[in-house]
Amino acid sequence: MRADTDVDAEAVPDSDADSVRRALDAFRAGDPVCVHDFADREGETDIVYPAGAVDEAAVAHMRNDAGGLICVAVSDAVGDAFGLPFLADALDHPAVDDDPEYDDRSSFSLPVNHRETFTGITDEDRALTIVELGNAAAAADADPGNYGPDDFAAEFRAPGHVHVLRGARDGLRGRTGHTELGLAMAAAVDAAPAAVVCEMLDDETGAALAPADAEAYARRRGIPYVEGAALVEALA
């Protein structure tokens, strides 16, 4: 994974290179990016934020304009430091069947609330949980030997209202979901290895918002729109 924001113009067509640059500039500034994964994968566009930049207004933006689950993706190394399991591995129930059609497995880990929240579901509560997950990810990334599961448990409780996702061990080389795409952008701008992702749904059909509609929305709102394939070419 590349740590800089210089995009190889020979590897990525100019239009894709421009979209990647705009996306990384926004992410570096703490602003959202609309990321479409792949038509042959989930075929979804997510609104993606760096976790450390999320406030109440950002949570409201995602629940109103996206409508999917608001999740925080953390890198595999941070997941290890937190002691977080994959949720399917932690549950002992006959309903567990982690074999989605779009991938080898889901990236869901524990849903958590920060311990200073009340119910955990309000915009204020979720913003606090998300920002503190970003802070914890930064601490674990900086000194993984000095942040462990007990430290995580001192800050967060499960179950909660913010789903934590674990990134693939090899990043975009191992998996190309929104989890890894968000984490790749975070790494590219030297942000904490924690990214917030929320699927955009169509109010009329209830299905995933069509890419053309998501791109039009992004254009109206002045939010960068980028294809997952362009991010993979630039950052993997």
Side-chain angles (χ1 to χ4, degrees):
M1 186 176 293
R2 292 170 57 170
D4 57 55
T5 59
D6 292 331
V7 177
D8 186 347
E10 295 183 357
V12 184
D14 287 346
S15 59
D16 286 348
D18 289 344
S19 69
V20 170
R21 288 193 184 97
R22 288 194 296 271
L24 295 182
D25 285 346
F27 216 69
R28 185 183 297 105
D31 294 329
V33 178
C34 289
V35 181
H36 177 251
D37 62 350
F38 300 89
D40 60 352
R41 196 177 179 282
E42 290 180 328
E44 295 174 349
T45 300
D46 281 24
I47 293 177
V48 185
Y49 279 87
V54 168
D55 56 13
E56 293 177 49
V59 174
H61 173 217
M62 287 183 281
R63 65 176 174 80
N64 285 315
D65 287 14
L69 281 177
I70 298 175
C71 303
V72 176
V74 299
S75 69
D76 178 75
V78 167
D80 280 347
F82 288 173
L84 293 180
F86 285 102
L87 186 58
D89 295 340
L91 296 176
D92 181 15
H93 191 281
V96 174
D97 180 5
D98 194 16
D99 187 24
E101 292 185 7
Y102 59 85
D103 208 337
D104 293 335
R105 70 176 303 161
S106 69
S107 54
F108 280 92
S109 184
L110 300 181
V112 302
N113 288 338
H114 190 267
R115 289 191 178 275
E116 293 181 6
T117 62
F118 183 47
T119 66
I121 193 58
T122 64
D123 292 349
E124 180 181 13
D125 277 358
R126 280 195 281 183
L128 175 61
T129 297
I130 290 166
V131 167
E132 292 304 328
L133 281 168
N135 290 339
D141 184 58
D143 189 2
N146 200 36
Y147 193 104
D150 290 340
D151 299 294
F152 185 83
E155 293 190 77
F156 304 94
R157 54 188 168 86
H161 293 83
V162 175
H163 292 271
V164 181
L165 311 175
R166 284 194 57 142
R169 188 169 299 277
D170 296 329
L172 287 174
R173 294 186 179 91
R175 187 174 183 272
T176 55
H178 283 104
T179 298
E180 290 74 25
L181 293 166
L183 290 169
M185 288 196 296
V189 302
D190 295 323
V196 185
V197 298
C198 185
E199 307 94 340
M200 300 187 76
L201 304 178
D202 189 310
D203 285 340
E204 294 184 2
T205 67
L209 191 65
D213 292 335
E215 188 171 9
Y217 162 85
R219 191 179 302 113
R220 290 194 305 272
R221 293 293 300 268
I223 298 173
Y225 175 94
V226 63
E227 290 287 343
L231 289 174
V232 170
E233 284 294 320
L235 304 178

